[in-house]
Amino acid sequence: SAVISQKPSRDICQRGTSLTIQCQVDSQVTMMFWYRQQPGQSLTLIATANQGSEATYESGFVIDKFPISRPNLTFSTLTVSNMSPEDSSIYLCSVGDEQFFGPGTRLTVL
Amino acid sequence: DAKTTQPPSMDCAEGRAANLPCNHSTISGNEYVYWYRQIHSQGPQYIIHGLKNNETNEMASLIITEDRKSSTLILPHATLRDTAVYYCIVRVLFQITGANSKLTFGKGITLSVRP
């Protein structure tokens, strides 16, 4: 299994600002994914981070709101832009076909 | 929409086997059954997956019915640390199709292990 780290582990942000979340893997992986887990809810896939090309977004998620970078096979970032309280969630990255998950980033927007 | 149905919750006594059921009556021939669990405030943890044969690893056993319409995850000796939400998911294996075989999480089943 891969070792996955995320930064920051948690943050409290003001409405209208943006936060970039980092996901680092200890080995090269083809597939990286970003999920959101709203309070009391299950996980929802935001997008697939493709190395060398644009991310593939799921229905209901757009690049302007959640821009994603994937500069290499071990790293990806997700930005939550122009945040509102509704964006308060845990954001998780996962990697590989078995989809091993990182510890998550707990975001609170005031 | 999730293609699986699970009871919302169950409990078992510590040290006993926990048998977690899952129905996936519309599963396709090339879809695998995956199980993950999420312990409170942590990221989901991969447990096991299978296609049609029963599978066992150091964490659990997966029993899939012959018609593949349901499965059971078995934790042979449940401990308090096994208290978590368990998700049963069906998905196509990436290597088989070459397509993005995403995970669609349902509500899962909350397992409570009591002392």
Side-chain angles (χ1 to χ4, degrees):
Chain A
S1 64
V3 177
I4 306 155
S5 61
Q6 286 186 232
K7 290 182 181 179
S9 59
R10 59 177 61 227
D11 207 343
I12 300 173
C13 301
Q14 295 297 319
R15 180 196 301 262
T17 62
S18 298
L19 176 72
T20 296
I21 302 168
Q22 299 178 6
C23 179
Q24 179 75 54
V25 192
D26 68 341
S27 57
Q28 293 187 342
V29 292
T30 304
M31 308 298 291
M32 292 184 78
F33 306 87
W34 286 99
Y35 289 80
R36 179 176 74 181
Q37 187 170 29
Q38 295 176 300
Q41 303 296 313
S42 188
L43 285 80
T44 301
L45 180 64
I46 298 172
T48 302
N50 303 307
Q51 198 272 326
S53 64
E54 279 196 1
T56 305
Y57 289 83
E58 297 299 307
S59 175
F61 298 95
V62 295
I63 188 172
D64 290 346
K65 176 66 176 177
F66 297 102
I68 288 171
S69 78
R70 179 85 194 273
N72 57 53
L73 293 176
T74 64
F75 186 79
S76 178
T77 67
L78 169 76
T79 298
V80 186
S81 303
N82 188 24
M83 289 183 285
S84 67
E86 292 72 33
D87 294 319
S88 297
S89 295
I90 299 173
Y91 292 86
L92 301 114
C93 70
S94 73
V95 306
D97 193 62
E98 290 83 6
Q99 293 204 30
F100 298 105
F101 283 80
T105 295
R106 184 180 295 272
L107 171 62
T108 302
V109 184
L110 303 177
Chain B
D1 292 335
K3 296 179 63 175
T4 63
T5 56
Q6 301 175 256
S9 64
M10 67 175 291
D11 64 14
C12 75
E14 189 176 19
R16 303 297 294 269
N19 299 306
L20 286 70
C22 180
N23 286 324
H24 31 80
S25 58
T26 62
I27 191 170
S28 300
N30 62 351
E31 287 182 315
Y32 286 65
V33 180
Y34 277 72
W35 282 83
Y36 293 79
R37 72 179 182 184
Q38 187 173 26
I39 297 171
H40 183 62
S41 297
Q42 299 182 20
Q45 177 186 23
Y46 165 81
I47 301 174
I48 199 167
H49 74 278
L51 182 63
K52 55 182 179 181
N53 297 322
N54 298 337
E55 302 287 345
T56 295
N57 63 21
E58 65 277 5
M59 290 183 67
S61 295
L62 174 60
I63 309 299
I64 303 173
T65 58
E66 192 169 344
D67 64 6
R68 301 209 323 121
K69 293 185 177 182
S70 65
S71 60
T72 301
L73 180 75
I74 300 173
L75 307 179
H77 305 288
T79 70
L80 298 179
R81 288 175 293 181
D82 292 321
T83 293
V85 179
Y86 288 76
Y87 298 99
C88 169
I89 300 170
V90 297
R91 65 187 285 246
V92 177
L93 195 62
F94 174 79
Q95 292 100 326
I96 300 297
T97 68
N100 173 13
S101 53
K102 64 182 180 181
L103 293 175
T104 301
F105 284 82
K107 297 185 183 299
I109 178 172
T110 299
L111 172 67
S112 300
V113 181
R114 61 181 187 276

